[in-house]
Amino acid sequence: MILAFLGPPGSGKGTQAKLLAEKLKVPHICLGDMLREEVKLGTAIGRRAKELMEAGRLVPDELTIELVRGRISREDCRSGFIVDGFPRSEVQAEAFDQMLKELNLELSAVIYFRISEEQALKRLLLRAKLEGRADDNEATIRTRFEVYEKQTQPLIERYLKVGKLIEIDAAGTIEEVFQNLWEALS
Ligand code: AMP
């Protein structure tokens, strides 16, 4: 099963992607984590991404496209994977279609995690306290919501049109949301 997880910051998609990937025994490809790792290692990609990430803006499409292309071309992705936080723009979605085609793979579904901005904000501020993520402060979170609305939200329509969108109520506890997700997939 090839799945992409889509949702605003704080929708819990990362947590759910990790749980589902463990259960399905497929790779969890988390773009945010991959980029944070590049920053930590001080690679060329990391150096280009750092400031944009701290500001809550998207890093250039070609960076994420290359990261995803490299990752999903590997053998362990042949029988499925979950990509979390990608695609996040129309350009990324186009490139994703193209690379899947080249690899002879088919997207099973895009899972959209629906949640109110108010509740997502609450979660992110709590996470800021617990994990101390540099981009979990109120100003940056606002930017991340704006960026999401402008650049990522239009993808909902795109995947709805091709019959690939599955919408999940993401407002509950981790267990409740996972239950919703599991039922929606079965
Ligand atoms: P996340 O952990 O998913 O909230 O991602 C953290 C940050 O990484 C985002 O605010 C962006 O700066 C960057 N990022 C993650 N995924 C993407 C993507 N698909 N395209 C562009 N930037 C991304």
Side-chain angles (χ1 to χ4, degrees), residues 13 31-32 35-36 52-53 56-59 64 85-86 88 92 133 135 144:
K13 62 183 172 0
L31 263 292
L35 287 165
R36 279 185 286 276
L52 289 159
M53 290 176 75
R57 311 226 155 259
L58 294 188
V59 310
T64 55
F86 181 93
R88 245 158 145 142
Q92 292 178 21
R133 241 180 76 164
D135 59 350
R144 285 158 65 204

Side-chain angles (χ1 to χ4, degrees), residues 87-101:
R88 245 158 145 142
S89 69
E90 290 285 353
V91 173
Q92 292 178 21
E94 286 290 335
F96 191 40
D97 281 353
Q98 193 57 39
M99 63 180 100
L100 288 173
K101 207 163 147 194

Side-chain angles (χ1 to χ4, degrees), residues 64-75:
T64 55
I65 290 168
E66 282 323 303
L67 283 174
V68 173
R69 192 194 302 279
R71 184 63 190 87
I72 72 172
S73 304
R74 279 162 50 185
E75 195 53 39

Side-chain angles (χ1 to χ4, degrees), residues 8-10 36 53 55-57 88 124 127 133-137 139-149:
R36 279 185 286 276
M53 290 176 75
R57 311 226 155 259
R88 245 158 145 142
L124 290 171
R127 185 172 74 184
R133 241 180 76 164
D135 59 350
D136 281 346
N137 60 75
T140 308
I141 289 169
R142 294 275 170 221
T143 309
R144 285 158 65 204
F145 278 122
E146 277 165 30
V147 167
Y148 169 78
E149 267 163 33

Side-chain angles (χ1 to χ4, degrees), residues 93-143:
E94 286 290 335
F96 191 40
D97 281 353
Q98 193 57 39
M99 63 180 100
L100 288 173
K101 207 163 147 194
E102 282 163 18
L103 291 164
N104 221 354
L105 296 171
E106 199 193 337
L107 179 65
S108 313
V110 172
I111 315 290
Y112 164 47
F113 289 78
R114 181 173 32 81
I115 192 168
S116 72
E117 186 169 326
E118 196 192 337
Q119 194 168 2
L121 178 64
K122 249 192 233 159
R123 282 189 189 165
L124 290 171
L125 291 173
L126 181 69
R127 185 172 74 184
K129 279 203 197 123
L130 298 175
E131 296 177 18
R133 241 180 76 164
D135 59 350
D136 281 346
N137 60 75
E138 206 159 342
T140 308
I141 289 169
R142 294 275 170 221
T143 309

Side-chain angles (χ1 to χ4, degrees), residues 160-173:
L160 194 61
K161 267 193 201 143
V162 293
K164 299 261 186 197
L165 197 81
I166 298 180
E167 191 172 320
I168 299 285
D169 177 3
T173 63

Side-chain angles (χ1 to χ4, degrees), residues 32-65:
D33 283 351
M34 286 167 88
L35 287 165
R36 279 185 286 276
E37 188 62 21
E38 299 282 336
V39 171
K40 207 168 93 193
L41 296 173
T43 63
I45 291 183
R47 287 198 301 274
R48 284 183 68 191
K50 187 170 188 285
E51 272 183 34
L52 289 159
M53 290 176 75
E54 280 168 1
R57 311 226 155 259
L58 294 188
V59 310
D61 287 322
E62 79 260 20
L63 297 189
T64 55
I65 290 168

